[in-house]
Amino acid sequence: MYQTAKFKKKLIATVIASTAVTGFSGFAVAQDESVEEVMVTGIRASLERSMDTKRNSAGVVDAISSEDIGKFPDTNLAESLQRITGVSISRSNGEGSQITVRGFGADNNMVTLNGRTMPAASTSNGGGGDSRAFDFANLASEGISGVEVYKTGKANITTGGIGATVNVKTAKPLDNPGLVASAGVKAVMDTTNRAGDDVTPEASGLFSWANDDSTFGVAVSASHQQRDSGTVGATVNDWGIYTWDSVNAPQRTWNNANAEVINAPDEGQLYSRFYDLRYEFIDTQRTRDNAQLTLQFAPTEDFTATVDYTFAENEIKSQLGQAGNWMQQQGNFQAVEFDNQEIATMIYAKEAYGNAIDEGFEQQWREQTNTLDSLGVNLSYQVTDALSFDLDVHDSEMHSRGTGPHGTGSIRMALAAPVVVEREWFFGGEFPTYLNVYDDSRRQRPQSAIDQQAWTPNGQVDPSDLSSTMLNLDQADQLSSVTQIKLDGRYELDNGHFDFGIESREMESNTRRYASGNISLGNWDGNYPGEFGNLIRPFDLQGEFDDFSPKAGGYGFIANAAELYEAAMTIPRYSSILPAKMNQSAHNIVVEDMQSAYFQVGLEGNVGNMPFSVLTGLRYETTDVDSSSLSSAYFYRWESDNDVSINVDTSKPQTLASAKASYDNLLPSFDLTLNVTDDVVSRFSFSKTIARAGLGSLGVSASNFGSGGGPTYLGAIPTASASNPGLLPLESTNFDLSVEWYYDEGSYASIGVFEKNVKNFIGSEQVNRSLLGIRNSTNGPRVEAAAAQLKAAGIAVSDVSLFSQTAYNEFVVLPGGGLNAAWVAEFGNTAYTGTPEQDQFILAQPGWDIYDNASDPLAVFRTNTPNNGREAKIHGIELAVQHFFGDTGFGVQANYTLVRGDVGFDNLGSPTESQFALVGLSDTANLSGIYENDRFQARIAYNWRGEYLNETSRGGFSNPRYIEDYSQIDLNLSYSVTDALTVSLEGINITGEDSRSHGRNYAMMWDMYDLGARYQIGARYTF
């Protein structure tokens, strides 16, 4: 599939070259008189051009224009787009990444570059690879001349956006006669930086030239940016939702009738408990390079040829470290307190341990590279005064892949220090905390004599206490390509025009994922303390929080996971398992072949003294989908008490599955614009638009296997995801009504209402089903026998005891009679009696894992499967005002969007059933104050987005994830030292606002990140 994409690009390049050499030879060069054009620049000029675009368009269109050649209002395109009414953004590492328009997220918005559909590919941390969403962080803004946001559908616009179609426009040399050039440098200072450079560079340049006759032009732009940043935050792995019942029930969070329960829930009431609490830090280095070359040739007034090539590459490296504290449950429970909410939420818990248990200090190294290549040609020909044609051909490719050491996207080295003897958690407020009691003398002694000699308790938690546990390697690779050919025509009428066209577009997404699974090094109990020496350093993780206060006495460590992996490869005891092999866990290919034709008619006239215009059209489109997946075999592995994994089985061959589907759509559109007065414009629009299902939903195989967090015998529910290649696209019937008042030069006010009736929403259903013949080693005859033995001996059946008894039967009791020699040496000729020492011994033995066999039952997964058939209605109001106070230089720009939907998430709904709900719906507001004179420009912008539902089935209990309301203040100052030289200062999130998300209620925090400001000092010279 990769070779096919390259062949297409070579073919298009040949067509372009042939056209350039032979196709222009019959045209005579026009000799026109040179006309000097004065370009008005600056903030006000930019806003006035954007206002003119809005005023003169059919339907509802908003725009952003560059303030000057090479000077877009913001460094990041998404951060400019958020100031458009109805547009909100999501952020990654504090930077605008993807957009939501009128409640529809990035996958349901179409992004085009100069009218061309752009491919999307996104992998991260060794996963992902199913995205249709375009990431604006990949594009620098210096080469952008403008952005148009089409909120209403039109027959001549490529399909794919229900929320909006966003068209990014780049500079063209014939649009800027003569020689125009600019160069800029910036010093980027991110206050969150911890590990990189405090000041990083950004450089950009743009050169545009057209000859005196404007018959030939060339434009080149390039930019380079480095940014070093950091974040620190708190996360929870999952929130379990249960029904309150007898304290001694086996599926209870604990089996300890002596635990103190404060404010116990009512019998039958839902309650929630956290699985863990982690503090984490992430240090990120990002390098972004963009370049574009544009050639234009216009031998006559009637013909223009444009050839352009766009390149964008974003390299991201990050280092993550955690301090993780898992709840052990069972008899360890000492006390618990619940709040008074409808779902009683655990806000305090305390555990104590006979032998010290671990605090996890996982380290990760992540690397990925996103590369965009786009090559295209456009031929525009005015055949007669009335008839014109426009032919556009392009081939674009987006490649997102892990580019880390040893062919990885992510290296995760789990570290543990089993030195915690008591632990408390405090939830319920904005920021959860924990408090541990440490005693390194109570940890289990290392297995080997060498490591026993190297380890001596010293009353401190330091690198000598840390051992490896599990190693994971992951890689994901998504290559997406779009080949598109469009032929558009227009015939001018006496009072309007007739447009028509055809389009052929092929989109292909090729995703591969690889994983090593858990590679057991020091095993879960951390057998080899101090094995990595000074590669691990103490790190004051708690002290990194600026806006929150963790409990005193916690520990943190920092290490490069890639270096730890390389060090582990030199340790003899790991020679048989390292280097680790990554097995292919998924290979999904989705090909969409789209053919379409359209026509639209534009008419103008008058109703009395009121001019009006009508644009109505119809688009017909067919889509053929070819989906195939290469599926691996899997096996069940029970590694310890509640540590269960489902891994790729390389001893069995992969299987290929494929499916085909097709559908067609008839998409009408109608726009009516009525100029009530010279200053008042009213609009009504009707259209049907579509957005295709996510690529991850169109595959054929099952994926995302999860064990449910323990043995199924004790109620754990394994989970999985399945795909559905027959999914239909979302289809929206849209209505818009708006009034705009252009009451002064550069000033206007507008109000608009909209409604979107959407069918074929992608919902999901959870079906209990077996998959790929996977068998379950945590249930069946072996486990049932172990449970019976425990009950007969009067030992509580818990995750720990059930695993230990099963492992005892499997590995201690020898087939010919007698017991394992190591067991006898440690405990004598005794049976398993459930002591902590016996549990620790069994856990520490390498290879004493419970694998599935033929006697085990087929694993039954709660399988999340996408489906169509959901319908929903979204409606809202958009208010906007832009006002300049005469010639004072002061101005203000403000907007507010209210969005509502008729399907929300039921927070009291069953945790065993997935729900359909509208995600991304939130109110947004923006307020900008502006000042400029001949030399000085200033803008301060306040951006706010209300709380919104981001996920509907997070974790193993069908939990929602709500992103809490977020506001940010940005500042931009610039001063023209001379007519050519301008210096600037930009501040992003200058008040250092933080982000937070939660589950079914506020106390169920999912994550919280302590963010900071970013500043840029720059200079730009225009030639």
Side-chain angles (χ1 to χ4, degrees), residues 438-460:
Y438 301 92
D439 186 347
D440 64 345
S441 68
R442 287 171 58 182
R443 68 160 292 156
Q444 183 185 6
R445 297 189 67 80
Q447 290 291 300
S448 72
I450 295 176
D451 293 295
Q452 287 185 31
Q453 295 171 7
W455 173 75
T456 302
N458 58 10
Q460 299 291 323

Side-chain angles (χ1 to χ4, degrees), residues 284-408:
T284 303
Q285 294 179 303
R286 197 275 304 278
T287 302
R288 183 178 65 193
D289 293 296
N290 280 194
Q292 184 173 63
L293 170 65
T294 303
L295 303 174
Q296 285 192 295
F297 182 48
T300 73
E301 292 182 350
D302 300 326
F303 181 83
T304 301
T306 304
V307 179
D308 58 69
Y309 171 72
T310 300
F311 170 83
E313 187 162 87
N314 203 8
E315 298 179 3
I316 305 168
K317 299 179 181 180
S318 62
Q319 179 176 356
L320 175 146
Q322 294 180 334
N325 291 275
W326 280 83
M327 187 176 289
Q328 300 299 304
Q329 309 170 55
Q330 283 89 43
N332 302 300
F333 240 95
Q334 303 298 305
V336 60
E337 181 180 358
F338 292 92
D339 63 16
N340 294 314
Q341 301 188 75
E342 289 183 280
I343 297 180
T345 302
M346 189 182 292
I347 58 174
Y348 170 77
K350 179 179 181 180
E351 291 185 343
Y353 315 105
N355 285 332
I357 58 96
D358 67 288
E359 183 171 9
F361 297 101
E362 181 173 300
Q363 306 291 315
Q364 295 185 28
W365 180 261
R366 307 164 174 175
E367 281 191 49
Q368 74 177 85
T369 301
N370 304 320
T371 305
L372 171 69
D373 288 283
S374 179
L375 176 65
V377 60
N378 181 276
L379 305 177
S380 179
Y381 183 39
Q382 189 75 37
V383 182
T384 67
D385 289 344
L387 180 64
S388 61
F389 287 99
D390 192 276
L391 174 65
D392 193 271
V393 182
H394 83 99
D395 188 279
S396 301
E397 182 178 281
M398 184 76 175
H399 191 191
S400 180
R401 70 282 187 194
T403 49
H406 309 285
T408 65

Side-chain angles (χ1 to χ4, degrees), residues 785-807:
Q789 290 173 282
L790 292 172
K791 293 174 183 177
I795 303 172
V797 181
S798 67
D799 290 346
V800 175
S801 64
L802 189 60
F803 172 80
S804 293
Q805 183 68 68
T806 307

Side-chain angles (χ1 to χ4, degrees), residues 748-977:
Y748 77 92
S750 68
I751 180 172
V753 295
F754 64 87
E755 180 176 283
K756 293 178 178 290
N757 300 305
V758 185
K759 66 179 184 179
N760 297 334
F761 254 116
I762 310 299
S764 63
E765 57 181 346
Q766 290 192 337
V767 180
N768 292 327
R769 54 189 289 199
S770 58
L771 296 168
L772 303 176
I774 302 172
R775 294 188 177 273
N776 179 4
S777 63
T778 69
N779 213 323
R782 292 181 295 172
V783 178
E784 291 170 353
Q789 290 173 282
L790 292 172
K791 293 174 183 177
I795 303 172
V797 181
S798 67
D799 290 346
V800 175
S801 64
L802 189 60
F803 172 80
S804 293
Q805 183 68 68
T806 307
Y808 175 89
N809 297 341
E810 188 91 357
F811 302 106
V812 176
V813 179
L814 301 178
L819 301 180
N820 177 279
W823 175 273
V824 173
E826 189 77 17
F827 303 107
N829 195 23
T830 61
Y832 172 72
T833 58
T835 66
E837 291 77 15
Q838 290 178 336
D839 292 331
Q840 288 287 350
F841 177 85
I842 291 173
L843 181 63
Q845 302 310 304
W848 283 22
D849 299 332
I850 311 300
Y851 292 86
D852 62 87
N853 62 28
S855 71
D856 291 326
L858 291 172
V860 177
F861 295 88
R862 183 182 289 165
T863 308
N864 197 51
T865 305
N867 59 6
N868 285 125
R870 305 284 189 171
E871 295 188 14
K873 180 185 294 184
I874 295 174
H875 58 276
I877 301 174
E878 296 179 339
L879 304 169
V881 63
Q882 178 175 299
H883 180 77
F884 285 95
F885 298 90
D887 295 326
T888 65
F890 288 97
V892 65
Q893 186 182 32
N895 61 62
Y896 187 92
T897 303
L898 180 148
V899 183
R900 296 292 182 269
D902 62 354
V903 182
F905 191 93
D906 180 8
N907 290 324
L908 300 178
S910 170
T912 63
E913 298 179 4
S914 61
Q915 298 187 44
F916 167 70
L918 297 173
V919 298
L921 302 187
S922 65
D923 293 353
T924 57
N926 300 279
L927 175 64
S928 298
I930 302 160
Y931 175 76
E932 68 176 345
N933 58 29
D934 291 341
R935 294 292 183 186
F936 181 69
Q937 293 183 2
R939 175 174 51 219
I940 185 168
Y942 170 81
N943 308 295
W944 171 83
R945 182 176 186 180
E947 180 176 291
Y948 64 96
L949 179 66
N950 177 253
E951 297 178 52
T952 59
S953 188
R954 186 180 180 93
F957 295 84
S958 300
N959 282 317
R961 179 173 181 246
Y962 295 95
I963 307 295
E964 297 175 13
D965 63 300
Y966 178 85
S967 61
Q968 180 171 303
I969 297 176
D970 302 330
L971 176 68
N972 186 297
L973 306 172
S974 65
Y975 180 75
S976 298
V977 180

Side-chain angles (χ1 to χ4, degrees), residues 39 47 64 71 169 381 432 627 769 831 841 960 965 983 994:
M39 176 73 73
L47 294 177
I64 302 172
K71 176 64 173 65
K169 300 191 299 181
Y381 183 39
S627 180
R769 54 189 289 199
F841 177 85
D965 63 300
V983 294
D994 306 316

